Every structure is written in C-alpha cells, then in structure tokens.
Amino acid sequence: MSRRARVMVIFPRDFSQRAAHAARVFICASLAAFVAGCAAAPAEPLPALDIDPGRVAVAGVSSGAYMATQFHFIHSSRLRGAALVAGGPYGCAGGSLEAALGPCMTATPAPPDADALATRVRERAAAGDIDPLAGLAGDAVHVLHGKADSIVAVEVSLASGALYQRLSDEAGGIAVSFDTDRDFPHLLPTLDKGIDCELGGEPWLGRCGFDAAGELMARLFGEPAASAGEPTGELRRFDQTAYVAEGTDPLLADEGYLYLPRACAEGGRCGLLVAFHGCQQHAGNIGEAFVRDAGFNRWADVHQVAVLYPQTRSSYLPLNPKACWDWWGYTGADYDTRRGAQPRWLAAAMSALGAPMP
C-alpha cells in the first residue's frame, strides 16, 4: 500500500471534507477578527479633568505596591497617601534582582531593615532624588497582607509600613495602618469577583467576601457617604505612548485604562487614584479582569475619583517576563527616583489628566 493510500485509510474522505470545511471557517473567522481589530477605534489621549489636588493617591498590588510606594516617596508633596497590598518598602531591592527575589519577597535570609532604608530615604530626599520628607506630612498609608500569602512574606509588608513609621516624626506625622489578620493568599480580595479565594492564582483577584478596594479607598479618601453599587461610569482605553519622555523606554504597553465616574466625565471636580496591577496581572495577560473587577470602579463613583490603570508589558531583554513594575532596576539605575523612566511617564500622564505634577 502506498504512503498516500495509508494516509487515506487513517483519514477517510468524509473526515478530510469536514477538516477542509473547518479550516475554511477558521480562516474566515480569523480574517473577520483581524478586520474588526483593524477597524477598532485607536486609543485616545487622556482627557483634561478638574482634579482636586488634595485628593490624589496611589495604590498597588505586589509589584504594583512597590511601584506605589516608590511613586509616593518620589512625589509625596503631590499625593495624599498610598495603599499597599502584599508589597515591600521603598528602596528594598537597591537595584539588585537577587535582593528583590530574596529579602524583598521571602524575607530571607532576613527581612528588610526599616532603619537602614529610612537612612537611604533621608539621603535621597537631601539629594533631591525624591521629595523632601515634609511632603509626607498628614498622608495616609495603609498596608494590607493576607495570612495565606505564600509569595510575599508578611514581614516584607510590615517593613513597608515600618519605614513610614520611622520617618513619621521627621515628616510631621504619617497615618500608618495595618490589616494583616485576614486569611487570603497572594491576591487582591473582592466580594465576588475572580478565582476562589482559597485557591488563589490568576487573575489574582479572589472571591473572598471582603471588599479590599472599598477599604483601601476609605483609608485614602475618607469614609464614603454611601454604599457602592455596580459602576455607572465609563472605562476608557488611552494611548500610553503619548507620555513617554524622549530618550526613555518605560517598558509599558501601548494602551492603558482610565475609569471615569459620570460626575468626572461631565466636568465636575474629582480626585484621582492610580491603581497599579501586580506581576502577570496586566491586560496583556488577563485582559480587562483587573481594570473591571478589582472593585475600585464601583467605589470611584461614590468617592468621585477617577481611576488610572497604567499597564506594563513583558520583556526578556531587559528581563521582565511577568510584566512586573520596576522595583529592582530593569529600566535603569534611577528607576526609583524622579528621573526613572516609569515615574517620569506616570507624572506626565497624571499631569495630562490635570493632577498638579511637576
């Protein structure tokens, strides 16, 4: 029997016809999706809003928490606080990936030294790399960490709050609070969105019966005047490339997201929250799960706060396959100063929205 005959025995004629039909359907569907993608409206620049300069804050999960505290120290005079979920203190890695993966995640061989890091913060402030310590006066800092977190040790999160406490008197008073007694893994807890809370994992949002976003925003913007329902505002894509400083590459995705409550979109004065996703939590990996389901949007309506969701991208050169925010130096030595590529990009994007950034 010839080779061709043997193949025809294994794959009879009617199977071949079905396969050909399936192939035609697949090709047509792919072409339709491609055409639809080409026809989709391009992401627009950020709109100019009436931002209340006294209600601008940052929040983040995991590597996003590291980015949030970095940006808070860099521009503390322009922010009112930071909410940090399962992330460590400013300056922890010191430009070393080895340190980032060791003491700054697992607290081994020892947890981050808040006293040594406080000395480094003072040096950075004196050199003008970050804002003066007085910029932290009156700010709110909230630390959230789950007892079942096996990725980031609780000692690392505790050190992030301890650093602020070490600097509080010099700064003029920082309101630091901790929530570390809840039993959830390495994720952002929600009421009913995401994966089963006990299982954990992608998209790192968990149905834990706890509205973490509501707690974080209450710490940053005050107790809400009403309870939150389903979001009624608008989630927009925006062009992130428009805010990249010449000669830099912040290694961000082409598009990010902005949530606008109706009041903000209609010209009313509103606050601004920057919400940083964690590693592998960017839209390129989990779609719009974080920007839609984390819980910030529903509370943004209540607090009248726009929410900016910047997005990273993965890369292998420099090494950042999980699309983490830069908290160890993959964008350059100045990554955690005002000269860093990602902080410069964010300051430009926030300024375009109307926040009083330098």
Side-chain angles (χ1 to χ4, degrees):
M1 184 181 291
S2 69
R3 176 179 177 83
R4 180 175 180 180
R6 287 198 301 270
V7 172
M8 292 305 293
V9 168
I10 298 172
F11 298 103
R13 178 178 177 82
D14 63 331
F15 181 91
S16 299
Q17 289 173 336
R18 292 196 302 271
H21 174 71
R24 286 194 296 272
V25 171
F26 174 78
I27 292 170
C28 291
S30 298
L31 287 173
F34 175 77
V35 171
C38 291
E44 298 180 355
L46 289 165
L49 305 176
D50 184 7
I51 298 293
D52 181 350
R55 296 202 307 133
V56 181
V58 291
V61 182
S62 193
S63 77
Y66 268 110
M67 188 63 194
T69 194
Q70 285 177 181
F71 197 77
H72 185 210
F73 274 103
I74 291 169
H75 292 297
S76 59
S77 63
R78 312 298 175 123
L79 303 174
R80 66 163 297 142
L84 313 173
V85 183
Y90 174 84
C92 185
S96 165
L97 179 57
E98 182 179 1
L101 297 176
C104 301
M105 281 188 64
T106 64
T108 55
D113 185 337
D115 290 318
L117 292 174
T119 298
R120 183 60 172 150
V121 167
R122 297 183 188 102
E123 294 171 350
R124 287 278 179 89
D129 294 332
I130 62 175
D131 274 2
L133 294 183
L136 295 165
D139 284 3
V141 175
H142 186 60
V143 175
L144 175 63
H145 194 103
K147 291 195 296 183
D149 193 327
S150 61
I151 304 299
V152 175
V154 67
E155 292 85 357
V156 173
S157 279
L158 292 174
S160 66
L163 174 57
Y164 284 101
Q165 291 176 322
R166 299 294 194 279
L167 300 167
S168 181
D169 289 343
E170 298 167 66
I174 306 170
V176 184
S177 55
F178 298 86
D179 184 346
T180 59
D181 292 329
R182 300 179 189 272
D183 194 14
F184 61 87
H186 190 72
L187 49 68
L188 181 70
T190 73
L191 285 175
D192 55 9
K193 303 292 185 181
I195 196 168
D196 181 278
C197 189
E198 293 185 3
L199 294 178
E202 193 173 306
W204 296 278
L205 302 172
R207 302 188 303 271
C208 302
F210 168 51
D211 192 350
E215 177 183 84
L216 301 183
M217 293 186 74
R219 297 285 183 174
L220 295 173
F221 299 107
E223 290 300 320
S227 59
E230 289 300 310
T232 59
E234 180 183 358
L235 184 67
R236 301 181 181 181
R237 296 178 299 117
F238 74 92
D239 178 13
Q240 294 197 147
T241 66
Y243 310 103
V244 176
E246 185 176 356
T248 68
D249 183 0
L251 291 162
L252 302 180
D254 289 343
E255 296 181 358
Y257 293 84
L258 173 70
Y259 179 77
L260 281 180
R262 288 180 180 176
C264 300
E266 292 171 358
R269 188 157 240 219
C270 59
L272 175 63
L273 174 69
V274 181
F276 297 101
H277 61 73
C279 299
Q280 296 180 286
Q281 211 175 25
H282 59 303
N285 186 44
I286 64 168
E288 296 182 346
F290 182 75
V291 302
R292 289 191 181 275
D293 296 337
F296 294 112
N297 300 344
R298 53 199 299 271
W299 287 106
D301 290 343
V302 177
H303 290 281
Q304 295 191 11
V305 170
V307 185
L308 185 70
Y309 293 101
Q311 300 291 307
T312 59
R313 72 173 193 263
S314 61
S315 68
Y316 287 92
L317 190 65
L319 186 63
N320 183 32
K322 296 185 178 181
C324 303
W325 288 96
D326 188 6
W327 57 282
W328 67 85
Y330 68 76
T331 60
D334 293 329
Y335 69 99
D336 59 354
T337 75
R338 65 178 74 254
R339 296 182 299 276
Q342 290 180 356
R344 288 179 65 186
W345 176 89
L346 182 57
M350 293 172 67
S351 181
L353 280 170
M357 302 305 296

